[in-house]
Amino acid sequence: MNQVAQRKATNVVASELDKMLEADAGVGLENITTEDMQIPFIRIIQALSPQLQKDDPLYIKGAEQGDIFNTVSQEVYKQDEGVIVVPAFFEKKFLEFQLRSSGGGFVRELAADDKDITMTSREGTIEMLPNGNELVRTHQHLVIAKSADGTIAPSVLDMKKTQLKVSRRWNTLKNSARLPSGALMPIYGTAWQLTTVLEANDQGKWFNYKLDRINDVTPEIEKMMLEARNMYQGVAKGEVKMAAASADEIAEKDEVPF
């Protein structure tokens, strides 16, 4: 009898709590804007990524080379399964890094019209700025990604170096998608399965992105497309900004070096 009474009391408390939370939805969050929040980045785990080093604070248990992960939630998407994404916005960024021989690390983001961008020189696979630092041309794709628990949230999929060829192909496919009327599909009108594949050249092996279009628009994907549209409008109005990422998120040691 006591156990039954306790369960009933617990249910009543839970019900009252649920009512209170619904009535107070959003309370206390009034001053938090998009500028006060961090949009996570989606990255590939490579051989030297800190997510594989047990003595590194960024270590993720169970992660493997070729997996994709979220830099904020640390959620891991296995290589073959990947993650579903719906694109919402695209822009180019020009990032300056110190060379590894000089200590490495992210320096700053250059404006697209910065004269130094036109004055770079090529040293092997590295594009050098006049000051001796490296210029990394980056494609940033703002996407709505689906987590394993079914929740959807914005993420930034940034592609650089050997990933640029994947980005250019993806942009070409997005730019060729058409509506039944023949009109150009909006950027948020397609969904994609993001996985990784192993690539190699005479400098080594690494994992790169692979994107396959999803043609079956389920109610869940439709919801992602609607959210992607909202994100696009937010960026277009200046209410949402895609940062270059923090120094930790751009850490050179987890990037493909060519």
Side-chain angles (χ1 to χ4, degrees), residues 12 46 54 113 126 149 151 164 189 196:
V12 170
Q46 306 287 357
K54 289 186 177 181
D113 59 354
I126 298 177
D149 63 2
T151 59
L164 286 177
T196 68

Side-chain angles (χ1 to χ4, degrees), residues 241-253:
K241 295 182 179 180
M242 291 197 293
S246 68
D248 288 339
E249 289 170 325
I250 307 181
E252 283 188 301
K253 60 182 177 180

